[in-house]
Amino acid sequence: MCGIIGYSGHRPAVPLLLEGLHRLEYRGYDSAGVAFEQGAHLQVVKAAGKLAALEEKLEKVPCMLATAGIGHTRWATHGLPVERNAHPHLSQGGGIAIIHNGIIENFQELKDELLARGHTFLSDTDTEVLAHLIGEERRMADNLGDAFARALRRAHGAYAVVMLAPEELGVIYAARMAAPLLMGVGTGEVFVASDIPAFLPYTREVVFLEDGEIARIEGGRWSVFSLADLSPVEKTVSHVPWDMQAAAKDGYRHFMLKEIMEQPRVIQDCLSGRITESASGHRVCLRELDGLPVPERLHIVACGTSYNAGLWGRQLLEHTGGIPTDLDIASEFRYRDPLLRPQDMVLVISQSGETADTLAALRLAREKGCKVIGLCNVLGSSIAREADVVLYTQAGPEISVASTKAMCSQMTLLALIALYYGQRRQPACADPELLEAIMGLPVLLAGALPAMRQKAEALAVRFSSARSFFYLGRGQYYALALEGALKLKELSYIHAEGYASGEMKHGPIALIDPAFPTFALALDNALFPKVKSNIQEVLARQGRVIALVQERDGKAPDLEVEEMWVLPEAHPVAASFLALPALQLFSYHVADYLGKDVDQPRNLAKSVTVE
Ligand code: M6R
């Protein structure tokens, strides 16, 4: 969702703000703006559309020497994505500028009150109401920080908000409530941002703000206070191990392609330190879980791609881990009043660790007395901090809005969790063959990816004119069918539906015609005859079929379809790790061939921090 960057230090702020905003582009946005000090006044520049439009406007602004400023990329919630709704927003009279990520739920009530006091508003946003409210509180408050806190205490909802006001030159204030915000502490300079990549070239020393905290930043100095009573809060500075290369394109045309191609390394990093060798063979070692009992029942909760990873992992958790496992979409979970018993555990999966619905599900589970395991990628994210135990996927920053390597790492970790619980139930490893297969994944995948990329590109050209697509799979491949369809939809805007192969004849098959191709995942050797029958049903209705299959005894299986995509033979679980990048690469190349904005698809945000 919206990207936030603030800076106070010794360098010209505007170029740093723009650089930070570029690094936050992946979060998704439709307009952008900056505010900085020009002498004793505030200069605000904003533009609808991409950052290039803002940069063009800034070229015409003379003498941008400010060393403090704030910048924002907006993903529209209240009001159209037009310039007047772009942030920063100003208080009445223009003395205070703020940027905001989140939703002020009682904004209408506050707006009515301010309108009655004679305020006039220039935008349709809840953020402008907050800016005016701070200005109004400033009349009664002792100082600017106090006014900021007083206004925020009246605002209900979620926010990460940063304020700049020439009343205190060179100072920025920041506050957080249920939306991500952290500080990057450099030498003689401090950044505040929605996410680490925004300031990664300058510092890896990070202070994570908590809900209900306010930070005051002035040059290289910073302090944190409680929103409730402005009492000082002790914070620790954490070092993040991410490096710049991990957040750069590394010679690839798009972050998405880079992130797909780095999956062998991602699996390796996810396995790192989690497998030990003893006389009796390899064992999975997940120390984070050692202090918790083996759950009687596990509830997996997640959204989007993370949900698909959970669906994929459920079968392993039940069969290998021996744990009855339920699965919910996070936005449904909290509203269906789930039956949770204290001896159950909840496993929330989230790449960003900030997805609002997943975070709310975590809180509900904890309220009901369940222990929560967080499976996250982003260090220090809200879910990582609020879960009883966090297992990091260790995939490095995922910049492309479309999630790729995150799912690969989530699947790896889910397989390890299943093996780990299997081990806790029996002294010996639950499934040594599976563990060996998982350990062999980096090499298997690295060997297969170059040819897969070529095949995906060729298929993309042939099938990019389709208006709709089916993705079919059974067993664990059903989860991958959902993921394949999600990727195609979000990247190329081609309608796609993922279905359990056996469900086709219960209705969807009516849609099949020569213009509605099917991508069939036919990798499961045990279920192959069944999937083959489902494919025949599609072919009998003149449907075009791409079948993703694996070799058996060095040969392609017996199947007559328009396109057969043959992957190397692999362990049944390992085959999923080959199928996943095949699906990702196909969607990537279709979208690229169609000229779509691959890394920032329209209407999407990388981390969905509102309900
Ligand atoms: O950060 P999370 O894993 O919680 O995000 C969940 C979804 O928003 C995310 O996976 C989304 O579906 C992606 N755009 C998929 O590519």
Side-chain angles (χ1 to χ4, degrees):
M1 305 241 120
C2 305
I4 281 184
I5 173 101
Y7 175 80
S8 176
H10 49 82
R11 304 179 225 221
V14 177
L16 289 177
L17 297 177
L18 287 171
E19 188 186 340
L21 290 179
H22 274 293
R23 293 182 187 284
L24 293 172
E25 272 190 298
Y26 72 92
R27 296 172 68 84
Y29 70 105
D30 38 51
S31 60
V34 292
F36 51 93
E37 292 156 353
Q38 272 295 39
H41 299 285
L42 272 177
Q43 173 95 42
V44 176
V45 182
K46 36 195 200 177
K50 292 286 177 186
L51 282 171
L54 176 67
E55 283 163 332
E56 207 180 308
K57 283 188 156 189
L58 278 165
E59 274 168 23
K60 296 179 191 122
V61 180
C63 193
M64 297 181 298
L65 295 176
T67 55
I70 57 180
H72 188 265
T73 45
R74 172 175 188 253
W75 189 86
T77 54
H78 288 81
L80 295 171
V82 292
E83 186 177 320
R84 79 187 141 81
N85 288 332
H87 300 206
H89 287 285
L90 296 174
S91 59
Q92 180 96 342
I96 293 169
I98 66 165
I99 51 177
H100 164 223
N101 172 23
I103 294 177
I104 306 298
E105 283 160 6
N106 58 337
F107 87 101
Q108 193 57 55
E109 187 187 317
L110 296 169
K111 189 172 184 173
D112 291 345
E113 180 188 317
L114 292 162
L115 282 168
R117 290 188 189 191
H119 285 244
T120 48
F121 293 90
L122 306 175
S123 77
D124 316 316
T125 65
D126 51 341
T127 307
E128 191 186 11
V129 175
L130 184 58
H132 280 236
L133 187 64
I134 300 168
E136 191 65 25
E137 292 290 346
R138 179 66 193 96
R139 285 132 126 339
M140 279 85 72
D142 294 342
N143 54 46
L144 197 55
D146 186 26
F148 188 50
R150 287 168 73 121
L152 289 175
R153 281 183 214 125
R154 298 196 56 202
H156 305 156
Y159 54 77
V161 57
V162 184
M163 173 175 79
L164 178 75
E167 180 189 339
E168 290 190 38
L169 276 178
V171 176
I172 53 177
Y173 285 90
R176 167 198 159 122
M177 186 67 77
L181 198 63
L182 37 90
M183 290 191 285
V185 180
T187 309
E189 58 189 355
V190 178
F191 297 79
V192 61
S194 315
D195 205 352
I196 297 166
F199 52 72
L200 203 51
Y202 302 97
T203 180
R204 286 194 266 164
E205 308 308 311
V206 173
V207 176
F208 295 102
L209 291 174
E210 301 289 342
D211 287 352
E213 289 181 351
I214 291 187
R216 183 181 189 276
I217 299 162
E218 183 174 14
R221 297 191 302 277
W222 58 273
S223 37
V224 176
F225 305 91
S226 146
L227 171 65
D229 57 7
L230 292 181
S231 56
V233 178
E234 285 275 320
K235 301 292 288 181
T236 48
V237 180
S238 315
H239 179 79
V240 293
W242 291 1
D243 61 16
M244 267 313 297
Q245 204 192 348
K249 278 190 203 153
D250 224 2
Y252 287 97
R253 254 163 64 72
H254 297 102
F255 279 111
M256 180 180 177
L257 185 56
K258 178 206 168 207
E259 288 162 4
I260 294 172
M261 298 306 283
E262 72 189 9
Q263 289 177 106
R265 200 265 307 143
V266 164
I267 297 172
Q268 192 67 61
D269 287 352
C270 184
L271 297 178
S272 164
R274 290 175 167 153
I275 296 174
T276 55
E277 198 174 357
S278 68
S280 54
H282 289 108
R283 288 180 66 79
V284 175
C285 158
L286 295 176
R287 286 197 190 83
E288 300 90 331
L289 298 182
D290 287 348
L292 294 177
V294 175
E296 281 188 16
R297 177 167 284 277
L298 196 61
H299 300 263
I300 302 180
V301 188
C303 299
T305 291
S306 296
Y307 171 87
N308 294 338
L311 181 59
W312 181 88
R314 177 169 66 178
Q315 199 168 319
L316 284 176
L317 286 160
E318 292 206 323
H319 290 174
T320 308
I323 298 168
T325 305
D326 295 330
L327 180 76
D328 271 278
I329 291 171
S331 53
E332 291 295 315
F333 180 74
R334 33 194 302 227
Y335 296 114
R336 77 168 172 84
D337 195 15
L339 185 61
L340 295 175
R341 302 161 310 161
Q343 64 271 33
D344 294 348
M345 271 187 220
V346 173
L347 173 68
V348 294
I349 308 177
S350 175
Q351 185 285 130
S352 62
E354 299 292 351
T355 299
D357 287 315
T358 313
L359 184 58
L362 173 155
R363 289 176 179 157
L364 175 73
R366 297 200 72 205
E367 259 168 48
K368 295 208 174 195
C370 295
K371 292 279 184 222
V372 176
I373 304 167
L375 208 153
C376 294
N377 189 38
V378 176
L379 303 170
S381 56
S382 301
I383 290 176
R385 284 178 294 144
E386 292 193 30
D388 292 283
V389 158
V390 59
L391 292 166
Y392 283 112
T393 48
Q394 299 171 183
E398 188 179 66
I399 306 292
S400 176
V401 166
S403 193
T404 54
K405 65 174 180 173
M407 180 161 179
C408 172
S409 63
Q410 289 162 349
M411 285 164 50
T412 308
L413 202 38
L414 284 163
L416 291 185
I417 295 171
L419 284 160
Y420 168 86
Y421 281 130
Q423 275 171 201
R424 279 189 59 177
R425 288 170 178 276
Q426 324 167 2
C429 171
D431 187 343
E433 255 180 50
L434 171 59
L435 183 51
E436 293 300 322
I438 300 285
M439 288 165 64
L441 284 175
V443 171
L444 176 74
L445 205 52
L449 272 173
M452 286 164 73
R453 193 175 157 188
Q454 279 180 4
K455 179 73 179 178
E457 195 165 0
L459 285 178
V461 174
R462 293 195 55 192
F463 284 85
S464 59
S465 58
R467 292 318 318 138
S468 286
F469 245 98
F470 268 125
Y471 282 75
L472 301 185
R474 273 178 186 260
Q476 286 189 291
Y477 296 104
Y478 168 48
L480 295 180
L482 293 183
E483 179 59 11
L486 174 59
K487 282 286 137 326
L488 192 69
K489 275 186 276 220
E490 69 178 329
L491 290 165
S492 64
Y493 321 144
I494 294 174
H495 164 245
E497 292 194 40
Y499 258 95
S501 316
E503 269 295 290
M504 276 290 279
K505 51 188 162 307
H506 298 287
I509 202 162
L511 291 167
I512 292 289
D513 68 21
F516 200 140
T518 295
F519 200 126
L521 303 179
L523 290 129
D524 191 322
N525 287 341
L527 294 175
F528 185 77
K530 301 227 174 285
V531 179
K532 189 173 171 183
S533 306
N534 301 137
I535 292 174
Q536 300 298 354
E537 288 155 12
V538 173
L539 293 173
R541 283 150 187 92
Q542 283 83 50
R544 301 172 69 194
V545 174
I546 302 172
L548 191 63
V549 297
Q550 60 171 321
E551 281 180 343
R552 265 185 285 173
D553 305 324
K555 284 192 302 196
D558 167 31
L559 195 63
E560 278 187 28
V561 291
E562 182 176 333
E563 278 294 344
M564 186 117 82
W565 185 345
V566 188
L567 299 176
E569 190 159 12
H571 180 281
V573 170
S576 288
F577 287 84
L578 293 171
L580 179 67
L583 295 166
Q584 296 165 342
L585 284 165
F586 177 70
S587 298
Y588 168 79
H589 282 296
V590 171
D592 192 32
Y593 183 73
L594 294 175
K596 306 296 182 204
D597 191 347
V598 172
D599 280 335
Q600 293 158 40
R602 70 182 182 200
N603 302 339
L604 296 186
K606 178 67 181 164
S607 86
V608 182
T609 51
V610 293
E611 263 190 68

